[in-house]
Amino acid sequence: MTTHTTTPSAPPVQKTPPPGRTSTRRDRKKETPGKRGAGSYAVVAAVTVFVLAFLAPFAIILLNSFKTSADYRANGSLSWPEHWNWDIVADVWGRVDFTQKLVNSIQISLGVVLIAVVLALFNAYAIGIGRIRWRTAFLVFFLGVNVLPQEGLVYPIYYLFKEMGLYDGKLGYTILVGITYSAFGTYLLSSVFSSFPRELIEAASLDGAGRWTILWRIILPMSWPTLSVMCVFFFVWSWNEFLYPLVLLISNDNQTVPLGLSVMQGQYTSDPTALSAAALLGVIPMVVFFLLFQRTLTRGVTAGAVK
């Protein structure tokens, strides 16, 4: 007859905190959110104040866009409208022929983006990847074009357009602004392409890829975040241009949105409600544009930080 003997199990080992450690991890987790919460509330409050200060002018424009002139003169610009005037926007739309101005601005801005981005891509590919001679001199030249004031170029460009038959034409104006913006794009893309990994280009060359293949299959896809940000910036800059179209686009059929809205302000007459409605019509397309391309802009801006 066999007897089974059981050996007593060893008591569980209790982990003791190292000396000098007075609080456990659970206690620290309870303390940390309180400290982070105070800082987070301060950041949220600061951002809220900044957003409200930024949106305040747009709220005032929105209020005054639907007031009557008598209501504005009696109660001021910060009061709530007593009677909503829904016809003022339609009146301003028809007075400035906003449909034609909107079409002109869209056509010109898209053309400027296409010309500027394509020229900047080719120039930067030759300077940043191709390593052409006098690379520094070309970069200084493109940088100098960016810092030249428009006021100093208005008369030479006006005289040149007169001689070439491009005056008061959307095509000539689009080419001019596109070439001007391409200088900034070239300077920006050249700095990006200069740090491009040379191993990829050398590997593609060994596989038999030519310069065009390298540009379209390797350089362009990897540079698309930067190019997308450039497209957004060029579109907005072209949309808001005022001096060049004021001098070069004088006919009503070729004018852009900023020029069309400027006729609402006369030398001796001024209607604040009509001006507010005109400003509202000018702001709405840009708001819609940013809502449509906000993800593209965010990805392009954060691409460098992620890398």
Side-chain angles (χ1 to χ4, degrees):
M1 183 176 182
T2 60
T3 59
H4 299 280
T5 60
T6 59
T7 58
S9 59
V13 179
Q14 296 182 356
K15 297 182 179 180
T16 58
R21 185 175 175 182
T22 57
S23 60
T24 61
R25 184 176 301 177
R26 183 179 300 177
D27 295 334
R28 290 202 309 273
K29 288 184 178 180
K30 293 181 179 179
E31 295 174 1
T32 304
K35 297 180 181 179
R36 292 181 180 176
S40 301
Y41 291 147
V43 172
V44 170
V47 172
T48 303
V49 172
F50 175 78
V51 171
L52 292 178
F54 180 79
L55 295 178
F58 298 98
I60 296 175
I61 290 175
L62 185 62
L63 285 177
N64 295 324
S65 298
F66 300 97
K67 285 183 182 179
T68 60
S69 299
D71 187 6
Y72 181 87
R73 290 191 295 268
N75 301 319
S77 61
L78 299 179
S79 63
W80 193 261
E82 294 183 356
H83 303 284
W84 291 88
N85 185 12
W86 302 104
D87 298 330
I88 188 171
V89 175
D91 178 66
V92 172
W93 188 291
R95 193 189 308 181
V96 301
D97 194 10
F98 191 77
T99 303
Q100 184 63 42
K101 306 297 187 299
L102 186 63
V103 172
N104 293 339
S105 292
I106 293 176
Q107 291 177 348
I108 291 175
S109 298
L110 291 178
V112 167
V113 169
L114 179 62
I115 295 174
V117 172
V118 171
L119 288 179
L121 180 62
F122 289 160
N123 294 336
Y125 181 65
I127 296 175
I129 302 296
R131 303 291 183 178
I132 63 174
R133 294 182 179 181
W134 304 298
R135 175 177 178 270
T136 305
F138 278 108
L139 290 179
V140 171
F141 169 75
F142 287 116
L143 181 61
V145 174
N146 293 321
V147 300
L148 286 177
Q150 290 184 345
E151 294 79 5
L153 300 175
V154 166
Y155 180 74
I157 292 174
Y158 170 81
Y159 183 79
L160 179 64
F161 271 48
K162 279 286 189 178
E163 294 295 325
M164 297 181 62
L166 299 176
Y167 184 69
D168 196 20
K170 291 185 290 185
L171 178 60
Y173 171 75
T174 303
I175 295 175
L176 168 68
V177 179
I179 293 175
T180 305
Y181 289 174
S182 67
F184 172 79
T186 301
Y187 182 78
L188 177 63
L189 284 179
S190 297
S191 61
V192 175
F193 288 171
S194 62
S195 59
F196 198 85
R198 307 292 299 184
E199 294 80 6
L200 295 177
I201 301 175
E202 294 175 357
S205 300
L206 292 176
D207 291 339
R211 294 181 179 179
W212 287 100
T213 304
I214 294 174
L215 175 62
W216 297 114
R217 298 294 181 86
I218 300 177
I219 303 297
L220 185 61
M222 297 188 66
S223 305
W224 179 244
T226 305
L227 293 175
S228 62
V229 174
M230 287 175 50
C231 291
V232 174
F233 284 169
F234 289 164
F235 188 91
V236 174
W237 293 351
S238 176
W239 186 280
N240 294 327
E241 279 283 353
F242 186 79
L243 182 58
Y244 281 156
L246 179 64
V247 176
L248 303 176
L249 301 176
I250 59 173
S251 62
N252 188 48
D253 295 335
N254 295 328
Q255 290 181 350
T256 58
V257 170
L259 285 182
L261 301 181
S262 65
V263 301
M264 301 300 301
Q265 176 68 35
Q267 183 177 1
Y268 301 104
T269 58
S270 176
D271 187 358
T273 57
L275 287 175
S276 298
L280 181 64
L281 291 177
V283 167
I284 288 177
M286 282 294 94
V287 173
V288 175
F289 177 79
F290 273 107
L291 290 178
L292 292 176
F293 294 97
Q294 60 175 343
R295 291 186 177 180
T296 302
L297 184 61
T298 304
R299 291 172 183 173
V301 172
T302 58
V306 173
K307 290 179 182 179

